[in-house]
Amino acid sequence: MTRLEQLFDEHGQSPWLDNLTRPGLRDGSLSHLAAAGVRGVTANPTIVAKAIMASDAYDAQFETLVSSGHSVEAAYWHLIVADVVDALGIFRPIFERDGGDGFVSIEVSPRCAHDTEASVTAARALHEGIGQPNLLVKVPATSQGVPAIETLIGEGHSTNVTLIFSLPRYRQVLEAYLSGLEAFAERGGDLASVHSVASFFVSRVDSEVDSRLESLGTDSALELRGQAAVAQARLAYQMFRDAHSGPRWTRLAERGARVQRPLWASTSTKNAEYPDTLYVDSLIGPDTVNTMPESTIEAFEDHGTIARTIDTGTAAAASVMKALGTVGIDMEDVSHTLERQGIATFEASFAEVLHALDAKAHALSGA
């Protein structure tokens, strides 16, 4: 049994791959990972841009699309959707087996991040165009994205809520999910058909907080380096458990509702001084997902720890968060900074790949 399989079988955590490329689909490496215990796939605009620009595997399809009159941006979405559909086929057997995994995520355009209606329209179009039950459409948890998420869940659209960096925003996401389920139930919807994960970003939190702690430079500040991300994620897990208990949740569960699992994202270690499996080993527990790049999967398979850790040291986690405030770290400002950076990075990647494809289209046309 692989360590990935142990994560799920022994502790109820689903390991997913945070990458999707056409070469990986064609050479069988994605199928191999699925056989080894990977139970789903996530991607984002930066991952997609790198995949398209780093390989000639997309060229033939792109040439056909632009030659038949598609715009560069329309061709881009056709390229992405083709990969997502292939990946959905690989993971469909897992979905058919238990209905709780086997998902592939595709993100709405980063241009929609601050537009509620545009996010809803884009997510609907992806669900309707792809039309497979193991598809999750990613919508950023901006202040404008949260009401879009409630609307989408209320329409029965399975959603991956992404770019969550703070506990207050996560609380809003949980409320949007529950309210959306209630609205869908009122419409007579089948709650069991709705799936959702809430992608709570981890390593980026430590990168930003550590930088601020080092700027402060005091002994009490420096002692807190490398602790913020895990502490916040553990407190988020407690919020998840609280939201999925009590009379409100019981009424939904009796209608077939599924929990909105926390998904630990950005789990590759950014600081070389930290263990390369820090954000896997420290966040293991039931009803969670950890999405990892190949390098982190390889490291975890080699020397990762298999133990329930997500709800150990909850009091210590609260103490860490309190101590961060005491030394002058404003976690709400940290989250706003990271959200802005995340969206800006995705927008830049989106623009870059469209520019590269546009240049390719002009070369094909001889212009």
Side-chain angles (χ1 to χ4, degrees):
M1 180 179 289
T2 68
R3 279 189 168 91
L4 296 176
E5 290 170 325
Q6 285 181 277
L7 272 182
F8 182 74
D9 290 346
E10 298 177 15
H11 296 290
Q13 181 172 82
S14 297
W16 290 4
L17 171 68
D18 193 26
N19 197 18
L20 181 60
T21 70
R22 189 159 295 184
L25 287 160
R26 289 181 174 176
D27 67 14
S29 57
L30 185 59
S31 294
H32 174 76
L33 286 168
V38 168
R39 299 178 61 82
V41 177
T42 55
N44 59 48
T46 298
I47 287 172
V48 169
K50 288 179 179 177
I52 292 174
M53 292 189 294
S55 171
D56 60 5
Y58 299 88
D59 290 356
Q61 184 189 3
F62 180 71
E63 182 174 355
T64 299
L65 288 164
V66 295
S67 297
S68 61
H70 287 79
S71 69
V72 167
E73 187 166 342
Y76 164 86
W77 285 105
H78 277 282
L79 298 179
I80 297 173
V81 167
D83 284 357
V84 168
V85 169
D86 286 346
L88 286 165
I90 290 172
F91 286 91
R92 185 65 175 265
I94 296 173
F95 177 81
E96 296 288 357
R97 245 188 339 262
D98 60 25
D101 265 318
F103 297 103
V104 179
S105 294
I106 181 173
E107 188 156 344
V108 298
S109 167
R111 294 172 179 168
C112 301
H114 297 297
D115 187 326
T116 301
E117 280 306 311
S119 295
V120 171
T121 299
R124 283 175 183 152
L126 287 167
H127 270 295
E128 291 165 6
I130 295 173
Q132 296 196 33
N134 54 329
L135 174 71
L136 296 178
V137 175
K138 296 176 76 173
V139 177
T142 60
S143 57
Q144 298 84 2
V146 170
I149 291 153
E150 181 175 342
T151 296
L152 290 165
I153 296 298
E155 294 175 352
H157 295 303
S158 295
T159 306
N160 179 335
V161 183
T162 190
L163 291 178
I164 304 173
F165 294 102
S166 74
L167 297 173
R169 183 54 55 82
Y170 181 46
R171 184 175 292 108
Q172 293 174 4
V173 168
L174 286 166
E175 175 59 33
Y177 181 62
L178 296 177
S179 295
L181 287 176
E182 288 166 343
F184 193 48
E186 288 178 7
R187 297 176 181 174
D190 175 12
L191 299 192
S193 69
V194 182
H195 303 268
S196 185
V197 293
S199 296
F200 207 99
F201 280 56
V202 186
S203 67
R204 295 189 200 180
V205 172
D206 269 346
S207 295
E208 180 65 24
V209 171
D210 284 1
S211 176
R212 297 185 184 205
L213 291 170
E214 288 162 5
S215 294
L216 291 169
T218 63
D219 289 344
S220 56
L222 295 176
E223 287 174 357
L224 291 168
R225 286 177 296 181
Q227 298 183 54
V230 169
Q232 184 169 246
R234 287 177 172 172
L235 295 178
Y237 186 72
Q238 291 306 306
M239 291 173 61
F240 156 74
R241 296 293 295 271
D242 290 344
H244 293 85
S245 62
R248 184 184 187 188
W249 175 249
T250 298
R251 287 192 297 271
L252 291 167
E254 288 173 347
R255 294 283 301 270
R258 300 172 183 272
V259 299
Q260 182 190 55
R261 290 179 294 172
L263 180 152
W264 313 126
S266 182
T267 54
S268 60
T269 306
K270 306 297 189 290
N271 188 330
E273 295 181 3
Y274 299 160
D276 54 3
T277 58
L278 172 65
Y279 303 116
V280 185
D281 294 347
S282 304
L283 301 174
I284 297 172
D287 293 320
T288 61
V289 178
N290 195 311
T291 188
M292 302 170 261
E294 288 95 330
S295 59
T296 303
I297 288 174
E298 291 169 4
F300 184 74
E301 272 299 318
D302 181 67
H303 52 267
T305 301
I306 303 293
R308 179 166 173 162
T309 52
I310 187 59
D311 45 10
T312 60
T314 303
S319 295
V320 167
M321 300 304 289
K322 182 177 180 181
L324 288 167
T326 299
V327 300
I329 301 299
D330 182 345
M331 291 302 293
E332 194 63 14
D333 184 68
V334 167
S335 72
H336 290 320
T337 298
L338 290 172
E339 183 181 288
R340 288 194 300 271
Q341 290 175 350
I343 293 168
T345 297
F346 289 169
E347 288 177 334
S349 296
F350 187 64
E352 184 181 12
V353 71
L354 290 183
H355 179 74
L357 290 173
D358 187 60
K360 190 170 291 188
H362 278 82
L364 288 169
S365 67

